[in-house]
């Protein structure tokens, strides 16, 4: 069964000025356009275009709650993935997501404590993990993702100390202490906890480092410090950014961000696919709640390279992005493909026009249109020209 779905972009403050509507050819909302959710998460479930086709269910969450076996197949209780169009006009918060075990325990713990789901200090909105991938749709997509080696961070701090010495002013004690951390081969966790403690002197250190970054205007590395400080002056996340991999994706490149990976999207338009969850532990670059002990408990402090996710070709006209989790895969179709669907699926046409045909059902999708496909279809043939995305499990 094919069911037409839609939604309205969420208007988080960091969203873009109309980039989602421009991509999909829809009317601008007049508000920041941050994320368009296509899925059944109760936070913003997809709206069903013709409720008569689903027995008057108005959205995917309601339909699945009522007719789950018919929609998802026997033994499947929830749609395990969430597809988003994401447009960052400003940096998102530094954040990480829990493992399945951490999410289940944290959700139960906060429920037992009576913390409302809508409370600003709530960490766990559900009991699920939230691994995710991001595929760049704009010409470039900028992000921070994962810790880099301590030696690289140490080199950055040493450069700051050199700039400070050249200024003729005494080196602030906190800057010297930060360098001592790095030279003592302290682990990344110790340095991170020291910076994010946000003790009264830390904003002063942020201000000093920002001033040094502005003095070294030719440095690409310190350009990020200047940028972040412009959005979040005094925030410890400005300093933490120097501990992280900074990557600019070209259009068509993707990242996979597993549980525990600290990351922040900085600027760009992308297709995001994740396990269906809204569990976010924030770590700076935000006015929102930051629970340092909970964040530290979920973070992976291993130094790691940029977590690129390479595409697997599917013939001449399509490719698949398959991360090492079963919850989701993203298939991009540009011309034609035969796609096996191991589960219910969501299809979004971003550019051009495509025919989607299961043998029993067929529909033509044009730019900005999307459908939900029930689990009983099994496979679809896709023909057209442009850019179409299929989200399903693996």
């Amino acid at each position: 069964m094919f069911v037409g779905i839609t939604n309205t972009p969420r208007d988080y403050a960091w969203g873009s000025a109309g980039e989602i509507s421009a991509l999909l050819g829809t009317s601008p909302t007049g508000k920041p356009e941050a994320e368009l959710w296509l899925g059944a998460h109760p936070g913003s479930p997809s709206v069903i275009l013709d409720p008569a086709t689903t027995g008057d269910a108005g959205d995917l969450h309601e339909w699945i709650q009522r007719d789950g076996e018919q929609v998802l197949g026997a033994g499947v209780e929830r749609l395990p993935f969430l597809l988003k169009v994401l447009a960052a006009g400003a940096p998102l918060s530094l954040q990480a997501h829990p493992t399945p075990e951490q999410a289940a325990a944290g959700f139960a713990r906060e429920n037992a404590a009576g913390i409302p789901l809508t409370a600003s200090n709530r960490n766990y909105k559900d009991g699920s993990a939230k691994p995710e991938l991001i595929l760049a749709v704009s010409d470039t997509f900028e992000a921070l993702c994962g810790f880099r080696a301590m030696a690289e961070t140490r080199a950055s701090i040493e450069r700051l100390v050199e700039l400070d010495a050249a200024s003729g002013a005494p080196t602030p004690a906190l800057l010297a202490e930060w360098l001592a951390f790095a030279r003592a081969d302290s682990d990344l966790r110790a340095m991170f906890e020291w910076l994010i403690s946000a003790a009264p002197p830390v904003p002063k250190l942020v201000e000093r480092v920002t001033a040094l970054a502005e003095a070294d205007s030719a440095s690409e590395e310190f350009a990020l410090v200047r940028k972040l400080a412009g959005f979040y002056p005094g925030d410890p996340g400005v300093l933490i950014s120097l501990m992280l991999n900074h990557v600019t994706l070209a259009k068509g490149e993707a990242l996979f961000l597993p549980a525990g990976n600290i990351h922040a999207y900085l600027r760009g338009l992308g297709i995001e696919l994740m396990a269906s969850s809204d569990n976010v532990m924030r770590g700076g670059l935000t006015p929102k709640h930051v629970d340092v002990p909970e964040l530290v408990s979920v973070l992976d402090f291993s130094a790691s390279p940029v977590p690129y996710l390479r595409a697997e070709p599917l013939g001449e006209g399509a490719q698949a992005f398959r991360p090492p989790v079963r919850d989701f895969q993203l298939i991009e179709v540009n011309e034609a493909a035969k796609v096996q669907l191991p589960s219910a699926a969501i299809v979004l046409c971003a550019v051009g026009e495509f025919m989607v045909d299961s043998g029993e059902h067929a529909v033509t999708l044009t730019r900005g249109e999307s459908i939900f496909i029930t689990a009983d279809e099994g496979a679809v043939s896709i023909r057209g020209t442009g850019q179409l995305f299929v989200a399903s499990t693996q």
Side-chain angles (χ1 to χ4, degrees):
M1 184 176 182
F2 293 177
V3 176
I5 57 174
T6 189
N7 216 335
T8 301
R10 310 203 80 177
D11 61 351
Y12 304 139
W14 50 260
S16 70
E19 286 190 77
I20 293 177
S21 55
L23 173 71
L24 301 180
T26 55
S27 299
T29 64
K31 299 178 180 179
E33 296 178 3
E35 294 178 346
L36 178 73
W37 291 22
L38 295 174
H41 193 284
S44 182
S46 292
V47 175
I48 293 171
L49 288 174
D50 183 3
T53 62
T54 58
D56 293 328
D59 63 56
L60 275 186
H61 177 70
E62 178 186 351
W63 189 28
I64 290 170
Q65 289 289 103
R66 192 191 66 199
D67 301 323
E69 186 165 317
Q70 172 193 342
V71 179
L72 301 179
V76 183
E77 298 181 354
R78 60 190 290 273
L79 188 67
F81 59 85
L82 175 62
L83 180 66
K84 296 181 181 180
V85 183
L86 180 146
L92 280 67
S93 59
L94 281 173
Q95 58 190 264
H97 311 301
T99 64
E101 296 76 17
Q102 290 167 335
F107 186 60
R109 185 170 61 248
E110 293 188 343
N111 283 345
I115 303 173
L117 282 175
T118 56
S120 62
N121 64 330
R122 178 95 190 198
N123 291 313
Y124 295 93
K125 304 295 181 64
D126 51 66
S128 301
K130 190 175 176 281
E132 61 191 49
L133 70 81
I134 185 75
L135 171 67
V137 172
S138 50
D139 289 339
T140 59
F141 188 96
E142 190 180 1
L144 294 168
C145 47
F147 289 99
R148 57 181 186 162
M150 179 64 85
E152 296 177 63
T153 297
R154 181 167 59 247
S156 297
I157 302 170
E158 288 174 341
R159 175 59 181 155
L160 288 169
V161 172
E162 289 174 4
L163 290 168
D164 190 77
S167 72
T171 299
L174 224 55
L175 182 56
E177 188 175 351
W178 191 18
L179 179 59
F181 253 106
R183 286 181 169 170
D185 289 327
S186 301
D187 61 24
L188 291 164
R189 175 172 179 156
M191 180 180 286
F192 180 88
E193 288 187 294
W194 180 74
L195 289 173
I196 203 172
S197 66
V202 172
K204 291 292 186 182
L205 178 59
V206 177
E207 291 175 15
R208 183 59 184 158
V209 169
T210 301
L212 295 172
E214 289 171 350
D216 192 16
S217 59
S219 167
E220 291 187 12
E221 178 181 29
F222 296 144
L224 177 60
V225 169
R226 297 191 295 272
K227 177 180 180 178
L228 296 178
F231 285 102
Y232 300 104
D235 191 297
V238 175
L239 306 182
I240 291 169
S241 72
L242 292 173
M243 299 179 65
L244 308 180
N245 295 307
H246 181 203
V247 60
T248 299
L249 299 176
K251 181 186 291 188
E253 290 186 318
L255 300 172
F256 172 63
L257 305 164
N261 179 285
I262 186 167
H263 60 278
Y265 301 144
L266 304 177
R267 179 72 181 88
L269 179 65
I271 298 295
E272 189 179 27
L273 182 58
M274 62 186 65
S276 185
S277 171
D278 198 23
N279 287 327
V280 179
M281 311 298 130
R282 296 179 179 86
L285 305 180
T286 180
K288 295 182 179 180
H289 174 64
V290 175
D291 184 333
V292 173
E294 195 64 33
L295 171 67
V296 169
S297 75
V298 306
L299 276 180
D300 178 359
F301 287 98
S302 304
S304 60
V306 175
Y308 291 106
L309 180 63
R310 308 298 180 187
E312 302 174 22
L314 298 178
E316 293 295 324
Q319 57 184 350
F321 294 88
R322 291 174 170 144
V325 294
R326 297 183 62 185
D327 301 274
F328 55 86
Q329 65 174 337
L330 182 67
I331 296 174
E332 178 186 2
V333 183
N334 302 117
E335 293 179 4
K338 178 79 170 181
V339 178
Q340 296 295 322
L341 299 177
S343 68
I346 290 174
V347 181
L348 167 67
C349 179
V351 180
E353 180 176 298
F354 290 86
M355 170 73 77
V356 182
D357 186 349
S358 69
E360 184 176 354
H361 302 99
V363 65
T364 297
L365 296 179
T366 59
R367 176 186 175 199
E369 293 183 327
S370 54
I371 57 170
F372 178 83
I373 301 178
T374 54
D376 56 356
E377 294 291 355
V380 292
S381 295
I382 301 170
R383 301 182 303 277
T385 303
Q387 189 176 41
L388 176 140
F389 297 101
V390 181
S392 72
T393 62
Q394 296 195 56

